[in-house]
Amino acid sequence: MDFNGNKKLDSGEFEQALAAFGLFPKKVELQALMKFYDVDNDGNVSYEEFLSGLRDELTPRRKNMVMKAFRMMDKDGSGAIGLNDIAGIYDVSMNPDFLEGRKTREEILTDFLANFEGAKGNNDGKITEKEWFDYYSDLSMSVPSDEYFVRMMESTWQMPEEDNTAVVQQTVQHLLTEVKARIMQLARNDPKFLQKIFNDFDLNQSGHLTIDEVTNLIAKLKISVERKFVYPFFKVIDKNNSGGIEYDEFEAYMLS
């Protein structure tokens, strides 16, 4: 139906697309439909805008996971996710654009945020709760079941659906014990080696361990655990809720 090949449907193309499915709206109805789908008001309906207009409400289970992820990312509790929230979480050091000098760290972080703003976002460099939910509502359309959606979110954001179950608490306690024991083995039970071990796992040399670096640490220690348990473990050590584990937090955990 996109006859001019611009990857958008103008009013005439949109009318023909509807007619192909046996829908023949009146002129005023067609104008109302175009207004509804044409989010950026450029007189056309893009594929993304069309999908956004078709989406359904998130189910309660999906909504719970999306809200949990948003609150995890919104470190300062401002109601929006900005550069300061993700600076300690999203590591750009291995990004090809950063390595080759094409983009600065701030530009890459801004691009990351822009991915979540979508067609209905205002591209202000922040993700509001509504923009976050709009993004996941669009994504949810292609996910067949609540169970699959929840497992996807657990793996992506490394957090469980429920925090206070016996399984989560037992697994986190197991991680706290095993990680400490295996790091102390590496340190030969000598605390003076802790700084070097911390530096070795601080892959981007930022002065703190990101959640991805902690995931890597757990894997290097040959501890098998589902990704969804990493964030609850991380949260116990990240006492100041900065989104990164500083050396003093790491040392306090190791020597406790």
Side-chain angles (χ1 to χ4, degrees), residues 192-227:
K192 73 182 181 184
F193 290 114
L194 291 178
Q195 181 72 67
K196 181 182 184 308
I197 291 171
F198 179 89
N199 293 342
D200 288 344
F201 285 108
D202 180 15
L203 301 178
N204 62 2
Q205 299 300 297
S206 64
H208 63 260
L209 301 180
T210 66
I211 193 165
D212 287 334
E213 288 170 335
V214 169
T215 302
N216 176 64
L217 179 152
I218 292 170
K220 292 290 186 182
L221 294 175
K222 297 183 179 180
I223 299 173
S224 179
V225 66
E226 289 184 67
R227 284 174 61 87

PDB file of all heavy atoms in Angstrom, residues 192-227:
ATOM      1  N   LYS A 192      44.502  -7.672  51.651  1.00  0.00           N
ATOM      2  CA  LYS A 192      45.251  -6.673  50.891  1.00  0.00           C
ATOM      3  C   LYS A 192      45.160  -6.896  49.380  1.00  0.00           C
ATOM      4  O   LYS A 192      45.480  -6.009  48.594  1.00  0.00           O
ATOM      5  CB  LYS A 192      46.710  -6.656  51.329  1.00  0.00           C
ATOM      6  CG  LYS A 192      47.537  -7.840  50.880  1.00  0.00           C
ATOM      7  CD  LYS A 192      48.956  -7.746  51.402  1.00  0.00           C
ATOM      8  CE  LYS A 192      49.802  -8.933  50.936  1.00  0.00           C
ATOM      9  NZ  LYS A 192      51.152  -8.913  51.504  1.00  0.00           N
ATOM     10  N   PHE A 193      44.707  -8.101  48.977  1.00  0.00           N
ATOM     11  CA  PHE A 193      44.549  -8.386  47.548  1.00  0.00           C
ATOM     12  C   PHE A 193      43.162  -8.003  47.012  1.00  0.00           C
ATOM     13  O   PHE A 193      42.901  -8.117  45.811  1.00  0.00           O
ATOM     14  CB  PHE A 193      44.794  -9.877  47.267  1.00  0.00           C
ATOM     15  CG  PHE A 193      46.223 -10.298  47.436  1.00  0.00           C
ATOM     16  CD1 PHE A 193      46.582 -11.181  48.438  1.00  0.00           C
ATOM     17  CD2 PHE A 193      47.210  -9.800  46.596  1.00  0.00           C
ATOM     18  CE1 PHE A 193      47.902 -11.576  48.602  1.00  0.00           C
ATOM     19  CE2 PHE A 193      48.538 -10.183  46.759  1.00  0.00           C
ATOM     20  CZ  PHE A 193      48.888 -11.070  47.765  1.00  0.00           C
ATOM     21  N   LEU A 194      42.263  -7.585  47.892  1.00  0.00           N
ATOM     22  CA  LEU A 194      40.893  -7.276  47.473  1.00  0.00           C
ATOM     23  C   LEU A 194      40.846  -6.127  46.463  1.00  0.00           C
ATOM     24  O   LEU A 194      40.050  -6.144  45.527  1.00  0.00           O
ATOM     25  CB  LEU A 194      40.022  -6.955  48.688  1.00  0.00           C
ATOM     26  CG  LEU A 194      39.707  -8.130  49.613  1.00  0.00           C
ATOM     27  CD1 LEU A 194      38.876  -7.661  50.805  1.00  0.00           C
ATOM     28  CD2 LEU A 194      38.973  -9.245  48.855  1.00  0.00           C
ATOM     29  N   GLN A 195      41.685  -5.107  46.677  1.00  0.00           N
ATOM     30  CA  GLN A 195      41.687  -3.963  45.747  1.00  0.00           C
ATOM     31  C   GLN A 195      42.059  -4.410  44.338  1.00  0.00           C
ATOM     32  O   GLN A 195      41.443  -3.987  43.355  1.00  0.00           O
ATOM     33  CB  GLN A 195      42.662  -2.898  46.228  1.00  0.00           C
ATOM     34  CG  GLN A 195      42.709  -1.656  45.340  1.00  0.00           C
ATOM     35  CD  GLN A 195      41.481  -0.784  45.434  1.00  0.00           C
ATOM     36  OE1 GLN A 195      41.229  -0.183  46.471  1.00  0.00           O
ATOM     37  NE2 GLN A 195      40.700  -0.694  44.354  1.00  0.00           N
ATOM     38  N   LYS A 196      43.054  -5.286  44.226  1.00  0.00           N
ATOM     39  CA  LYS A 196      43.475  -5.764  42.905  1.00  0.00           C
ATOM     40  C   LYS A 196      42.362  -6.583  42.245  1.00  0.00           C
ATOM     41  O   LYS A 196      42.091  -6.432  41.049  1.00  0.00           O
ATOM     42  CB  LYS A 196      44.737  -6.620  43.014  1.00  0.00           C
ATOM     43  CG  LYS A 196      45.229  -7.119  41.651  1.00  0.00           C
ATOM     44  CD  LYS A 196      46.438  -8.000  41.757  1.00  0.00           C
ATOM     45  CE  LYS A 196      46.959  -8.407  40.373  1.00  0.00           C
ATOM     46  NZ  LYS A 196      45.914  -8.977  39.494  1.00  0.00           N
ATOM     47  N   ILE A 197      41.705  -7.424  43.021  1.00  0.00           N
ATOM     48  CA  ILE A 197      40.613  -8.234  42.468  1.00  0.00           C
ATOM     49  C   ILE A 197      39.476  -7.331  42.013  1.00  0.00           C
ATOM     50  O   ILE A 197      38.896  -7.529  40.936  1.00  0.00           O
ATOM     51  CB  ILE A 197      40.125  -9.254  43.524  1.00  0.00           C
ATOM     52  CG1 ILE A 197      41.220 -10.304  43.753  1.00  0.00           C
ATOM     53  CG2 ILE A 197      38.826  -9.915  43.077  1.00  0.00           C
ATOM     54  CD1 ILE A 197      40.953 -11.236  44.916  1.00  0.00           C
ATOM     55  N   PHE A 198      39.154  -6.326  42.814  1.00  0.00           N
ATOM     56  CA  PHE A 198      38.119  -5.360  42.439  1.00  0.00           C
ATOM     57  C   PHE A 198      38.490  -4.685  41.121  1.00  0.00           C
ATOM     58  O   PHE A 198      37.667  -4.592  40.200  1.00  0.00           O
ATOM     59  CB  PHE A 198      37.960  -4.317  43.544  1.00  0.00           C
ATOM     60  CG  PHE A 198      36.938  -3.252  43.248  1.00  0.00           C
ATOM     61  CD1 PHE A 198      35.609  -3.430  43.597  1.00  0.00           C
ATOM     62  CD2 PHE A 198      37.301  -2.059  42.619  1.00  0.00           C
ATOM     63  CE1 PHE A 198      34.655  -2.446  43.323  1.00  0.00           C
ATOM     64  CE2 PHE A 198      36.366  -1.076  42.351  1.00  0.00           C
ATOM     65  CZ  PHE A 198      35.034  -1.273  42.702  1.00  0.00           C
ATOM     66  N   ASN A 199      39.736  -4.234  41.018  1.00  0.00           N
ATOM     67  CA  ASN A 199      40.186  -3.564  39.796  1.00  0.00           C
ATOM     68  C   ASN A 199      40.128  -4.486  38.580  1.00  0.00           C
ATOM     69  O   ASN A 199      39.810  -4.048  37.475  1.00  0.00           O
ATOM     70  CB  ASN A 199      41.612  -3.039  39.975  1.00  0.00           C
ATOM     71  CG  ASN A 199      41.692  -1.918  40.984  1.00  0.00           C
ATOM     72  OD1 ASN A 199      40.688  -1.295  41.312  1.00  0.00           O
ATOM     73  ND2 ASN A 199      42.892  -1.666  41.496  1.00  0.00           N
ATOM     74  N   ASP A 200      40.438  -5.752  38.785  1.00  0.00           N
ATOM     75  CA  ASP A 200      40.411  -6.717  37.679  1.00  0.00           C
ATOM     76  C   ASP A 200      39.005  -6.891  37.121  1.00  0.00           C
ATOM     77  O   ASP A 200      38.825  -7.073  35.907  1.00  0.00           O
ATOM     78  CB  ASP A 200      40.946  -8.079  38.142  1.00  0.00           C
ATOM     79  CG  ASP A 200      42.459  -8.072  38.358  1.00  0.00           C
ATOM     80  OD1 ASP A 200      43.114  -7.125  37.869  1.00  0.00           O
ATOM     81  OD2 ASP A 200      42.966  -8.998  39.012  1.00  0.00           O
ATOM     82  N   PHE A 201      38.021  -6.841  37.990  1.00  0.00           N
ATOM     83  CA  PHE A 201      36.636  -7.021  37.533  1.00  0.00           C
ATOM     84  C   PHE A 201      35.976  -5.701  37.127  1.00  0.00           C
ATOM     85  O   PHE A 201      34.916  -5.701  36.504  1.00  0.00           O
ATOM     86  CB  PHE A 201      35.809  -7.732  38.608  1.00  0.00           C
ATOM     87  CG  PHE A 201      36.094  -9.204  38.710  1.00  0.00           C
ATOM     88  CD1 PHE A 201      36.791  -9.719  39.785  1.00  0.00           C
ATOM     89  CD2 PHE A 201      35.695 -10.067  37.705  1.00  0.00           C
ATOM     90  CE1 PHE A 201      37.072 -11.074  39.872  1.00  0.00           C
ATOM     91  CE2 PHE A 201      35.973 -11.428  37.780  1.00  0.00           C
ATOM     92  CZ  PHE A 201      36.657 -11.939  38.859  1.00  0.00           C
ATOM     93  N   ASP A 202      36.594  -4.589  37.483  1.00  0.00           N
ATOM     94  CA  ASP A 202      36.123  -3.268  37.033  1.00  0.00           C
ATOM     95  C   ASP A 202      36.671  -3.056  35.616  1.00  0.00           C
ATOM     96  O   ASP A 202      37.632  -2.334  35.399  1.00  0.00           O
ATOM     97  CB  ASP A 202      36.632  -2.194  37.987  1.00  0.00           C
ATOM     98  CG  ASP A 202      36.188  -0.797  37.576  1.00  0.00           C
ATOM     99  OD1 ASP A 202      35.278  -0.675  36.741  1.00  0.00           O
ATOM    100  OD2 ASP A 202      36.780   0.177  38.094  1.00  0.00           O
ATOM    101  N   LEU A 203      36.033  -3.700  34.650  1.00  0.00           N
ATOM    102  CA  LEU A 203      36.577  -3.810  33.294  1.00  0.00           C
ATOM    103  C   LEU A 203      36.784  -2.464  32.614  1.00  0.00           C
ATOM    104  O   LEU A 203      37.714  -2.296  31.825  1.00  0.00           O
ATOM    105  CB  LEU A 203      35.668  -4.701  32.439  1.00  0.00           C
ATOM    106  CG  LEU A 203      35.471  -6.138  32.959  1.00  0.00           C
ATOM    107  CD1 LEU A 203      34.515  -6.896  32.066  1.00  0.00           C
ATOM    108  CD2 LEU A 203      36.812  -6.861  33.057  1.00  0.00           C
ATOM    109  N   ASN A 204      35.908  -1.506  32.892  1.00  0.00           N
ATOM    110  CA  ASN A 204      36.064  -0.194  32.245  1.00  0.00           C
ATOM    111  C   ASN A 204      36.812   0.814  33.120  1.00  0.00           C
ATOM    112  O   ASN A 204      36.898   1.992  32.775  1.00  0.00           O
ATOM    113  CB  ASN A 204      34.699   0.374  31.836  1.00  0.00           C
ATOM    114  CG  ASN A 204      33.791   0.610  33.030  1.00  0.00           C
ATOM    115  OD1 ASN A 204      34.182   0.392  34.174  1.00  0.00           O
ATOM    116  ND2 ASN A 204      32.567   1.052  32.766  1.00  0.00           N
ATOM    117  N   GLN A 205      37.318   0.313  34.250  1.00  0.00           N
ATOM    118  CA  GLN A 205      38.109   1.152  35.162  1.00  0.00           C
ATOM    119  C   GLN A 205      37.376   2.428  35.579  1.00  0.00           C
ATOM    120  O   GLN A 205      37.951   3.507  35.645  1.00  0.00           O
ATOM    121  CB  GLN A 205      39.465   1.502  34.529  1.00  0.00           C
ATOM    122  CG  GLN A 205      40.339   0.282  34.217  1.00  0.00           C
ATOM    123  CD  GLN A 205      40.670  -0.539  35.450  1.00  0.00           C
ATOM    124  OE1 GLN A 205      41.314  -0.055  36.351  1.00  0.00           O
ATOM    125  NE2 GLN A 205      40.200  -1.784  35.490  1.00  0.00           N
ATOM    126  N   SER A 206      36.084   2.265  35.874  1.00  0.00           N
ATOM    127  CA  SER A 206      35.261   3.409  36.254  1.00  0.00           C
ATOM    128  C   SER A 206      35.318   3.700  37.746  1.00  0.00           C
ATOM    129  O   SER A 206      34.829   4.740  38.202  1.00  0.00           O
ATOM    130  CB  SER A 206      33.797   3.143  35.862  1.00  0.00           C
ATOM    131  OG  SER A 206      33.283   2.030  36.594  1.00  0.00           O
ATOM    132  N   GLY A 207      35.871   2.771  38.514  1.00  0.00           N
ATOM    133  CA  GLY A 207      35.919   2.948  39.959  1.00  0.00           C
ATOM    134  C   GLY A 207      34.755   2.298  40.673  1.00  0.00           C
ATOM    135  O   GLY A 207      34.665   2.336  41.901  1.00  0.00           O
ATOM    136  N   HIS A 208      33.849   1.696  39.904  1.00  0.00           N
ATOM    137  CA  HIS A 208      32.749   0.944  40.508  1.00  0.00           C
ATOM    138  C   HIS A 208      32.372  -0.220  39.597  1.00  0.00           C
ATOM    139  O   HIS A 208      32.693  -0.221  38.409  1.00  0.00           O
ATOM    140  CB  HIS A 208      31.537   1.840  40.770  1.00  0.00           C
ATOM    141  CG  HIS A 208      30.931   2.410  39.522  1.00  0.00           C
ATOM    142  ND1 HIS A 208      31.170   3.694  39.090  1.00  0.00           N
ATOM    143  CD2 HIS A 208      30.109   1.859  38.595  1.00  0.00           C
ATOM    144  CE1 HIS A 208      30.523   3.919  37.967  1.00  0.00           C
ATOM    145  NE2 HIS A 208      29.867   2.816  37.639  1.00  0.00           N
ATOM    146  N   LEU A 209      31.709  -1.207  40.164  1.00  0.00           N
ATOM    147  CA  LEU A 209      31.262  -2.367  39.395  1.00  0.00           C
ATOM    148  C   LEU A 209      29.817  -2.163  38.960  1.00  0.00           C
ATOM    149  O   LEU A 209      28.938  -1.918  39.787  1.00  0.00           O
ATOM    150  CB  LEU A 209      31.368  -3.649  40.238  1.00  0.00           C
ATOM    151  CG  LEU A 209      32.749  -4.027  40.771  1.00  0.00           C
ATOM    152  CD1 LEU A 209      32.669  -5.314  41.584  1.00  0.00           C
ATOM    153  CD2 LEU A 209      33.755  -4.177  39.637  1.00  0.00           C
ATOM    154  N   THR A 210      29.580  -2.243  37.657  1.00  0.00           N
ATOM    155  CA  THR A 210      28.221  -2.177  37.134  1.00  0.00           C
ATOM    156  C   THR A 210      27.566  -3.538  37.306  1.00  0.00           C
ATOM    157  O   THR A 210      28.231  -4.536  37.615  1.00  0.00           O
ATOM    158  CB  THR A 210      28.214  -1.807  35.648  1.00  0.00           C
ATOM    159  OG1 THR A 210      28.817  -2.886  34.904  1.00  0.00           O
ATOM    160  CG2 THR A 210      28.969  -0.521  35.391  1.00  0.00           C
ATOM    161  N   ILE A 211      26.270  -3.602  37.070  1.00  0.00           N
ATOM    162  CA  ILE A 211      25.577  -4.880  37.212  1.00  0.00           C
ATOM    163  C   ILE A 211      26.085  -5.885  36.180  1.00  0.00           C
ATOM    164  O   ILE A 211      26.176  -7.082  36.456  1.00  0.00           O
ATOM    165  CB  ILE A 211      24.042  -4.696  37.129  1.00  0.00           C
ATOM    166  CG1 ILE A 211      23.342  -5.983  37.590  1.00  0.00           C
ATOM    167  CG2 ILE A 211      23.601  -4.280  35.730  1.00  0.00           C
ATOM    168  CD1 ILE A 211      21.874  -5.809  37.885  1.00  0.00           C
ATOM    169  N   ASP A 212      26.463  -5.414  34.995  1.00  0.00           N
ATOM    170  CA  ASP A 212      27.024  -6.322  33.990  1.00  0.00           C
ATOM    171  C   ASP A 212      28.384  -6.856  34.430  1.00  0.00           C
ATOM    172  O   ASP A 212      28.713  -8.023  34.185  1.00  0.00           O
ATOM    173  CB  ASP A 212      27.144  -5.624  32.630  1.00  0.00           C
ATOM    174  CG  ASP A 212      25.798  -5.418  31.965  1.00  0.00           C
ATOM    175  OD1 ASP A 212      24.870  -6.199  32.264  1.00  0.00           O
ATOM    176  OD2 ASP A 212      25.663  -4.501  31.150  1.00  0.00           O
ATOM    177  N   GLU A 213      29.178  -6.006  35.068  1.00  0.00           N
ATOM    178  CA  GLU A 213      30.478  -6.458  35.561  1.00  0.00           C
ATOM    179  C   GLU A 213      30.316  -7.449  36.705  1.00  0.00           C
ATOM    180  O   GLU A 213      31.100  -8.396  36.834  1.00  0.00           O
ATOM    181  CB  GLU A 213      31.314  -5.252  35.994  1.00  0.00           C
ATOM    182  CG  GLU A 213      31.822  -4.425  34.810  1.00  0.00           C
ATOM    183  CD  GLU A 213      32.442  -3.102  35.200  1.00  0.00           C
ATOM    184  OE1 GLU A 213      32.104  -2.562  36.274  1.00  0.00           O
ATOM    185  OE2 GLU A 213      33.267  -2.589  34.416  1.00  0.00           O
ATOM    186  N   VAL A 214      29.289  -7.261  37.528  1.00  0.00           N
ATOM    187  CA  VAL A 214      29.011  -8.223  38.607  1.00  0.00           C
ATOM    188  C   VAL A 214      28.525  -9.552  38.012  1.00  0.00           C
ATOM    189  O   VAL A 214      28.900 -10.625  38.497  1.00  0.00           O
ATOM    190  CB  VAL A 214      27.976  -7.646  39.594  1.00  0.00           C
ATOM    191  CG1 VAL A 214      27.491  -8.723  40.560  1.00  0.00           C
ATOM    192  CG2 VAL A 214      28.580  -6.480  40.366  1.00  0.00           C
ATOM    193  N   THR A 215      27.733  -9.479  36.960  1.00  0.00           N
ATOM    194  CA  THR A 215      27.301 -10.707  36.271  1.00  0.00           C
ATOM    195  C   THR A 215      28.512 -11.451  35.732  1.00  0.00           C
ATOM    196  O   THR A 215      28.608 -12.684  35.839  1.00  0.00           O
ATOM    197  CB  THR A 215      26.342 -10.358  35.116  1.00  0.00           C
ATOM    198  OG1 THR A 215      25.217  -9.638  35.631  1.00  0.00           O
ATOM    199  CG2 THR A 215      25.842 -11.617  34.427  1.00  0.00           C
ATOM    200  N   ASN A 216      29.441 -10.699  35.152  1.00  0.00           N
ATOM    201  CA  ASN A 216      30.678 -11.297  34.640  1.00  0.00           C
ATOM    202  C   ASN A 216      31.510 -11.894  35.776  1.00  0.00           C
ATOM    203  O   ASN A 216      32.069 -12.995  35.631  1.00  0.00           O
ATOM    204  CB  ASN A 216      31.492 -10.232  33.912  1.00  0.00           C
ATOM    205  CG  ASN A 216      32.838 -10.747  33.426  1.00  0.00           C
ATOM    206  OD1 ASN A 216      32.915 -11.630  32.585  1.00  0.00           O
ATOM    207  ND2 ASN A 216      33.916 -10.197  33.972  1.00  0.00           N
ATOM    208  N   LEU A 217      31.575 -11.194  36.909  1.00  0.00           N
ATOM    209  CA  LEU A 217      32.311 -11.681  38.075  1.00  0.00           C
ATOM    210  C   LEU A 217      31.760 -13.038  38.526  1.00  0.00           C
ATOM    211  O   LEU A 217      32.521 -13.979  38.780  1.00  0.00           O
ATOM    212  CB  LEU A 217      32.220 -10.652  39.199  1.00  0.00           C
ATOM    213  CG  LEU A 217      32.902 -10.946  40.539  1.00  0.00           C
ATOM    214  CD1 LEU A 217      33.290  -9.636  41.232  1.00  0.00           C
ATOM    215  CD2 LEU A 217      31.999 -11.741  41.470  1.00  0.00           C
ATOM    216  N   ILE A 218      30.437 -13.125  38.635  1.00  0.00           N
ATOM    217  CA  ILE A 218      29.798 -14.369  39.071  1.00  0.00           C
ATOM    218  C   ILE A 218      30.116 -15.510  38.104  1.00  0.00           C
ATOM    219  O   ILE A 218      30.420 -16.638  38.518  1.00  0.00           O
ATOM    220  CB  ILE A 218      28.275 -14.170  39.207  1.00  0.00           C
ATOM    221  CG1 ILE A 218      27.965 -13.222  40.372  1.00  0.00           C
ATOM    222  CG2 ILE A 218      27.555 -15.504  39.407  1.00  0.00           C
ATOM    223  CD1 ILE A 218      26.522 -12.772  40.434  1.00  0.00           C
ATOM    224  N   ALA A 219      30.083 -15.194  36.794  1.00  0.00           N
ATOM    225  CA  ALA A 219      30.388 -16.222  35.783  1.00  0.00           C
ATOM    226  C   ALA A 219      31.846 -16.655  35.876  1.00  0.00           C
ATOM    227  O   ALA A 219      32.155 -17.858  35.790  1.00  0.00           O
ATOM    228  CB  ALA A 219      30.083 -15.683  34.394  1.00  0.00           C
ATOM    229  N   LYS A 220      32.759 -15.695  36.069  1.00  0.00           N
ATOM    230  CA  LYS A 220      34.190 -16.014  36.169  1.00  0.00           C
ATOM    231  C   LYS A 220      34.493 -16.857  37.401  1.00  0.00           C
ATOM    232  O   LYS A 220      35.437 -17.655  37.404  1.00  0.00           O
ATOM    233  CB  LYS A 220      35.019 -14.730  36.210  1.00  0.00           C
ATOM    234  CG  LYS A 220      35.015 -13.927  34.916  1.00  0.00           C
ATOM    235  CD  LYS A 220      35.779 -14.639  33.818  1.00  0.00           C
ATOM    236  CE  LYS A 220      35.885 -13.761  32.575  1.00  0.00           C
ATOM    237  NZ  LYS A 220      36.592 -14.443  31.467  1.00  0.00           N
ATOM    238  N   LEU A 221      33.693 -16.668  38.448  1.00  0.00           N
ATOM    239  CA  LEU A 221      33.863 -17.467  39.662  1.00  0.00           C
ATOM    240  C   LEU A 221      33.235 -18.855  39.525  1.00  0.00           C
ATOM    241  O   LEU A 221      33.269 -19.651  40.457  1.00  0.00           O
ATOM    242  CB  LEU A 221      33.250 -16.738  40.869  1.00  0.00           C
ATOM    243  CG  LEU A 221      33.930 -15.427  41.282  1.00  0.00           C
ATOM    244  CD1 LEU A 221      33.149 -14.751  42.402  1.00  0.00           C
ATOM    245  CD2 LEU A 221      35.369 -15.657  41.693  1.00  0.00           C
ATOM    246  N   LYS A 222      32.637 -19.093  38.341  1.00  0.00           N
ATOM    247  CA  LYS A 222      32.019 -20.391  38.020  1.00  0.00           C
ATOM    248  C   LYS A 222      30.879 -20.734  38.979  1.00  0.00           C
ATOM    249  O   LYS A 222      30.735 -21.859  39.431  1.00  0.00           O
ATOM    250  CB  LYS A 222      33.073 -21.500  38.008  1.00  0.00           C
ATOM    251  CG  LYS A 222      34.136 -21.286  36.936  1.00  0.00           C
ATOM    252  CD  LYS A 222      35.125 -22.419  36.878  1.00  0.00           C
ATOM    253  CE  LYS A 222      36.150 -22.178  35.765  1.00  0.00           C
ATOM    254  NZ  LYS A 222      37.155 -23.266  35.676  1.00  0.00           N
ATOM    255  N   ILE A 223      30.067 -19.702  39.245  1.00  0.00           N
ATOM    256  CA  ILE A 223      28.855 -19.893  40.041  1.00  0.00           C
ATOM    257  C   ILE A 223      27.674 -19.853  39.078  1.00  0.00           C
ATOM    258  O   ILE A 223      27.480 -18.860  38.379  1.00  0.00           O
ATOM    259  CB  ILE A 223      28.710 -18.794  41.109  1.00  0.00           C
ATOM    260  CG1 ILE A 223      29.911 -18.829  42.064  1.00  0.00           C
ATOM    261  CG2 ILE A 223      27.407 -18.964  41.879  1.00  0.00           C
ATOM    262  CD1 ILE A 223      29.935 -17.671  43.050  1.00  0.00           C
ATOM    263  N   SER A 224      26.923 -20.896  39.031  1.00  0.00           N
ATOM    264  CA  SER A 224      25.785 -20.987  38.119  1.00  0.00           C
ATOM    265  C   SER A 224      24.526 -20.447  38.793  1.00  0.00           C
ATOM    266  O   SER A 224      24.117 -20.946  39.849  1.00  0.00           O
ATOM    267  CB  SER A 224      25.569 -22.447  37.694  1.00  0.00           C
ATOM    268  OG  SER A 224      24.455 -22.553  36.828  1.00  0.00           O
ATOM    269  N   VAL A 225      23.939 -19.418  38.188  1.00  0.00           N
ATOM    270  CA  VAL A 225      22.733 -18.816  38.748  1.00  0.00           C
ATOM    271  C   VAL A 225      21.945 -18.145  37.626  1.00  0.00           C
ATOM    272  O   VAL A 225      22.528 -17.647  36.662  1.00  0.00           O
ATOM    273  CB  VAL A 225      23.089 -17.789  39.851  1.00  0.00           C
ATOM    274  CG1 VAL A 225      23.820 -16.595  39.253  1.00  0.00           C
ATOM    275  CG2 VAL A 225      21.861 -17.344  40.622  1.00  0.00           C
ATOM    276  N   GLU A 226      20.627 -18.156  37.738  1.00  0.00           N
ATOM    277  CA  GLU A 226      19.795 -17.475  36.742  1.00  0.00           C
ATOM    278  C   GLU A 226      20.019 -15.965  36.834  1.00  0.00           C
ATOM    279  O   GLU A 226      20.213 -15.409  37.924  1.00  0.00           O
ATOM    280  CB  GLU A 226      18.320 -17.786  36.980  1.00  0.00           C
ATOM    281  CG  GLU A 226      17.906 -19.197  36.641  1.00  0.00           C
ATOM    282  CD  GLU A 226      16.410 -19.384  36.811  1.00  0.00           C
ATOM    283  OE1 GLU A 226      15.638 -18.771  36.044  1.00  0.00           O
ATOM    284  OE2 GLU A 226      16.014 -20.123  37.729  1.00  0.00           O
ATOM    285  N   ARG A 227      19.992 -15.299  35.674  1.00  0.00           N
ATOM    286  CA  ARG A 227      20.252 -13.858  35.620  1.00  0.00           C
ATOM    287  C   ARG A 227      19.286 -13.060  36.500  1.00  0.00           C
ATOM    288  O   ARG A 227      19.653 -11.998  37.023  1.00  0.00           O
ATOM    289  CB  ARG A 227      20.142 -13.361  34.174  1.00  0.00           C
ATOM    290  CG  ARG A 227      21.340 -13.723  33.316  1.00  0.00           C
ATOM    291  CD  ARG A 227      21.095 -13.338  31.860  1.00  0.00           C
ATOM    292  NE  ARG A 227      20.874 -11.926  31.683  1.00  0.00           N
ATOM    293  CZ  ARG A 227      21.839 -11.022  31.506  1.00  0.00           C
ATOM    294  NH1 ARG A 227      23.104 -11.392  31.488  1.00  0.00           N
ATOM    295  NH2 ARG A 227      21.556  -9.746  31.331  1.00  0.00           N
TER     296      ARG A 227
END
